[in-house]
Amino acid sequence: MDKDLLSIQQVRDLIKSAKVAQKLYSTFTQEQIDKVIYAIVQEMKNHYVDLAKKAHEETGFGKCEDKVIKNRFANEFVYDYIKDMKTVGVLKETDTITEIGVPMGIVAALTPSTNPTSTAIYKTLISLKAGNAIIVSPHPNAKDCVIDTVKLMQKAAYAAGAPVGLIGVIEIPTMEGTNELMKSKDTSIILATGGEAMVRAAYSSGRPAIGVGPGNGPAFIEKSANVKEAVRKIVESKTFDNGVICASEQSVIVEPCNKEAVMEEFRKQGGYFLSKEESEKLGRFILRANGTMNPQIVGKDAQTLAKLSGLNIPSNVKLLLSEQSTVSKSNPYSREKLTTILAFYVEDNPEKACERAIELLENEGKGHTLIIHSENKDIIREFALKKPVSRMLVNVGGSLGGVGATTNLAPAFTLGCGAVGGSSTSDNITPMNLINIRRVAVGVRELSDFKKDTNTNSNSDVTNSEIEDMIRRIIAEYRK
């Protein structure tokens, strides 16, 4: 049998099993659900390193040590945030309204190759916490590490009493299999994290979906900012797992008054400013002829990028920066670069910086993330009021700030981009995005109350005889 047919059949079998398992799981109390979640978390604590190694070896993206941190974040940090959430049964009750949490059913979880194991852990925890079943669809380039991750979670969950079939994974991932999963009438909601084409497919599947478009976050270093600290945070963020988190900085914007200080600080901290010729050479390698990013650049350190593109850079360089003055789809530096490359713009004042940031976001990354380093509260407020983003991060690195690790945003590896970004929500996705709320409402008014109000109003209206009298007087006045 052909691979695509095998994949489709496997998906159908997974859906069938998940449907039966979720029906039983939907009868679980909050305590029973929490027991399953706790068991998964405890098991996954033992596998941060080995899963990080597998992900790094299979994809070639990022840094193994940073993937360990992401696995821990997706497991422990997410768990600490969701463990006390009430997601099933009575959530809230007053004398007149009772809110009841109702699982959605089966979650189709599409995972990217950039954050494969951590995203699989995160999506499984939030889906099960909400009382749902989950079927994970791994990116083909990261299927083995994701399959291993899911099998570990299956073992722990089933040992804790979860029904078999509640957690599934497509072991023969194909486009046809993923489409079968997304379009199935039994799929309740799609959690799509990955490329723009995949997200569009999720939204056009005919099933409810929460998708995440590309990030292209500008970072504005305003003149009041602590330059040394701002640069440190940007370098740490952009080099974390070699820039594969979509909330990472893609461009730096400065003013003329702090340009030299910022450039000098970047050089001190491992930044390398490309010459015009070097920028053009690297740019041709970044962008393919069809206008898409070259996958060879994803998650690579600066030294590897230099070798691949034929550049000669110092051995201590961590980050490549290119001075730019234009924004367009054909300018690779003004787009999302999931690697250790930053565009560098100089604008006359905060107003022009604001305009440039909007231009960058409208080019790519609308609704996602913006970063500002500033001590001027008025400028921070102005940026917050005007930018088409769902997350504006202040004086913090984008990568871990956007996902909620170094901010108080909800910890998540699915970051909604809002309507402006083509997403159904602007939230960092949590279990509360994966439940429906049934509202029980007690009657508090009668129809007669509305009729009474209407009758009262009609009694105060002008009578017909008064209207006729007014008309006669107007006509008489007109005839004079």
Side-chain angles (χ1 to χ4, degrees):
M1 190 179 291
D2 292 337
K3 185 178 179 181
D4 57 341
L5 298 178
L6 285 169
S7 181
I8 290 170
Q9 186 58 55
Q10 185 180 65
V11 167
R12 290 175 178 172
D13 292 341
L14 288 169
I15 291 172
K16 184 178 179 180
S17 297
K19 189 175 180 180
V20 173
Q22 198 278 325
K23 185 176 181 179
L24 176 57
Y25 192 58
S26 68
T27 67
F28 277 31
T29 64
Q30 188 72 71
E31 290 72 22
Q32 289 174 302
I33 287 174
D34 291 345
K35 180 182 176 182
V36 172
I37 301 298
Y38 179 79
I40 293 173
V41 170
Q42 295 307 307
E43 175 61 31
M44 299 315 289
K45 285 181 179 180
N46 303 317
H47 301 283
Y48 298 152
V49 175
D50 59 287
L51 291 177
K53 287 180 179 178
K54 289 177 180 179
H56 184 258
E57 289 170 2
E58 186 174 4
T59 66
F61 298 160
K63 303 175 183 175
C64 185
E65 61 270 27
D66 290 344
K67 292 188 184 298
V68 173
I69 293 172
K70 289 198 295 186
N71 286 340
R72 182 181 179 188
F73 170 79
N75 192 52
E76 292 179 51
F77 209 93
V78 169
Y79 174 70
D80 286 342
Y81 186 83
I82 70 174
K83 64 181 180 181
D84 296 323
M85 280 185 180
K86 182 73 173 169
T87 55
V88 298
V90 176
L91 307 181
K92 183 180 178 182
E93 192 169 20
T94 68
D95 291 339
T96 59
I97 296 287
T98 301
E99 294 183 351
I100 298 171
V102 182
M104 288 186 173
I106 297 175
V107 177
L110 281 57
T111 59
S113 55
T114 48
N115 309 299
T117 56
S118 51
T119 302
I121 295 168
Y122 151 73
K123 288 188 175 182
T124 300
L125 290 180
I126 65 171
S127 297
L128 267 60
K129 175 68 176 182
N132 301 304
I134 183 172
I135 298 174
V136 179
S137 176
H139 190 287
N141 294 339
K143 70 180 182 68
D144 292 338
C145 63
V146 171
I147 290 168
D148 289 347
T149 301
V150 173
K151 286 184 175 179
L152 289 167
M153 292 189 287
Q154 287 173 333
K155 181 180 177 181
Y158 300 157
V164 174
L166 191 70
I167 306 171
V169 59
I170 303 175
E171 297 189 31
I172 310 171
T174 65
M175 185 65 73
E176 293 80 9
T178 300
N179 284 335
E180 182 74 14
L181 175 63
M182 291 195 294
K183 294 180 179 181
S184 171
K185 62 181 177 58
D186 291 317
T187 292
S188 305
I189 189 166
I190 303 165
L191 274 184
T193 309
E196 191 171 1
M198 183 265 281
V199 173
R200 282 200 304 268
Y203 277 115
S204 62
S205 68
R207 307 304 301 159
I210 298 174
V212 178
N216 191 29
F220 176 40
I221 304 178
E222 191 263 333
K223 63 184 177 184
S224 69
N226 181 322
V227 170
K228 184 176 181 180
E229 282 298 292
V231 170
R232 178 183 66 81
K233 289 171 183 176
I234 292 171
V235 172
E236 286 181 352
S237 172
K238 191 59 175 170
T239 58
F240 181 80
D241 209 19
N242 289 337
V244 297
I245 293 181
C246 56
S248 65
E249 295 83 352
Q250 304 297 322
S251 306
V252 173
I253 306 172
V254 300
E255 299 173 80
C257 60
N258 66 356
K259 173 187 174 182
E260 294 303 324
V262 171
M263 292 180 75
E264 181 59 27
E265 195 58 47
F266 266 112
R267 292 187 182 104
K268 287 180 181 178
Q269 298 192 36
Y272 178 82
F273 283 86
L274 301 165
S275 67
K276 183 179 179 180
E277 293 74 19
E278 289 172 326
S279 291
E280 291 175 354
K281 191 172 185 179
L282 180 61
R284 288 192 294 271
F285 182 72
I286 296 172
L287 204 63
R288 295 188 293 187
N290 63 0
T292 61
M293 287 290 164
N294 184 349
Q296 292 185 64
I297 73 168
V298 176
K300 298 298 190 294
D301 61 62
Q303 298 297 324
T304 300
L305 290 172
K307 290 176 184 177
L308 288 172
S309 58
L311 298 179
N312 185 22
I313 62 173
S315 59
N316 64 336
V317 170
K318 303 176 183 176
L319 198 59
L320 303 175
L321 297 98
S322 175
E323 292 191 65
Q324 295 292 312
S325 59
T326 64
V327 174
S328 71
K329 290 290 185 182
S330 61
N331 180 351
Y333 294 101
S334 63
R335 296 179 58 183
E336 182 185 49
K337 306 164 292 297
L338 298 178
T339 191
T340 50
I341 300 171
L342 284 171
F344 190 83
Y345 293 89
V346 182
E347 302 299 334
D348 291 340
N349 50 51
E351 291 75 19
K352 293 293 184 182
C354 180
E355 292 172 7
R356 179 65 81 185
I358 292 173
E359 186 182 13
L360 285 161
L361 290 163
E362 289 181 343
N363 186 54
E364 191 170 44
K366 281 190 295 185
H368 208 292
T369 303
L370 168 97
I371 304 97
I372 183 170
H373 294 270
S374 174
E375 299 301 325
N376 188 320
K377 292 183 179 180
D378 292 334
I379 290 176
I380 293 171
R381 177 59 59 88
E382 280 299 305
F383 265 66
L385 291 171
K386 295 179 180 179
K387 297 299 177 294
V389 293
S390 300
R391 281 155 293 279
M392 192 178 106
L393 310 176
V394 181
N395 296 327
V396 69
S399 290
L400 297 181
V403 301
T406 55
T407 61
N408 281 335
L409 293 172
F413 278 123
T414 299
L415 311 180
C417 296
V420 69
S423 180
S424 57
T425 180
S426 57
D427 294 346
N428 281 20
I429 306 304
T430 75
M432 302 310 292
N433 297 97
L434 301 179
I435 64 170
N436 289 318
I437 297 177
R438 179 183 300 139
R439 292 174 175 84
V440 181
V442 175
V444 295
R445 285 175 289 276
E446 296 287 346
L447 175 59
S448 58
D449 295 329
F450 293 94
K451 289 183 175 180
K452 181 180 178 182
D453 292 341
T454 303
N455 291 334
T456 301
N457 290 336
S458 64
N459 291 338
S460 64
D461 289 343
V462 179
T463 64
N464 288 336
S465 62
E466 288 174 324
I467 292 172
E468 291 174 0
D469 182 58
M470 282 190 288
I471 292 172
R472 284 194 295 270
R473 285 190 284 109
I474 291 170
I475 293 172
E477 184 69 26
Y478 179 75
R479 287 175 175 172
K480 288 182 180 179

